[in-house]
Amino acid sequence: MSLSQRVQQRFPQWVIGTHQYRGDETALLKRDGLVEVCTWLRDDPGMAFNFLMDVSCVDYLTFGHTQASVPSLQTPSPLPYFMKPKPVTETWQRGEGEEHRFEAVYHLYVASSPRR
């Protein structure tokens, strides 16, 4: 079972949606459940997320209205120019609750403890 599925199963009242992209998993939460879910992610031995990498915010004021936020965009391949990279089509969309202009983003990480 994936991490996002475990979060959704444990906290169905707080999870709005989940998705995975390039190995990263995302759980969209209602703000009222943030502390409860993050506490579980930190304290549950099976989770052990012990490092908050960063907190940022997304402003959706112009989402879908500018070229940089078109829901389907050709992005360059990570290959060097001389290897004739092919553009990769990426699509994204806003989650449920589109009436909110801002979205807080928390990046959590499991940092292994140093050896003694």
Side-chain angles (χ1 to χ4, degrees):
M1 180 182 300
S2 72
L3 171 64
S4 53
Q5 289 171 330
R6 290 182 69 188
V7 172
Q8 189 165 24
Q9 182 180 35
R10 175 98 160 108
F11 301 100
Q13 72 277 23
W14 300 130
V15 177
I16 296 169
T18 63
H19 65 269
Q20 299 175 2
Y21 181 72
R22 294 188 178 182
D24 291 332
E25 295 194 48
T26 300
L28 302 169
L29 305 174
K30 296 177 184 175
R31 67 176 149 204
D32 295 340
L34 179 65
V35 172
E36 184 179 352
V37 173
C38 286
T39 300
W40 176 75
L41 288 169
R42 181 194 65 197
D43 295 344
D44 185 275
M47 297 289 107
F49 280 85
N50 56 2
F51 184 62
L52 173 61
M53 292 179 64
D54 71 346
V55 178
S56 61
C57 183
V58 178
D59 182 352
Y60 285 110
L61 179 64
T62 61
F63 184 79
H65 301 290
T66 64
Q67 181 61 33
S69 67
V70 173
S72 180
L73 185 66
Q74 291 284 325
T75 58
S77 167
L79 297 174
Y81 71 93
F82 57 84
M83 294 180 76
K84 297 183 182 178
K86 295 179 182 176
V88 178
T89 300
E90 299 182 33
T91 59
W92 64 90
Q93 60 185 354
R94 287 190 66 180
E96 295 179 30
E98 293 184 18
E99 69 278 0
H100 299 293
R101 177 176 168 186
F102 297 103
E103 179 177 280
V105 179
Y106 293 76
H107 291 115
L108 306 175
Y109 185 73
V110 177
S112 60
S113 58
R115 293 185 179 185
R116 294 178 185 215

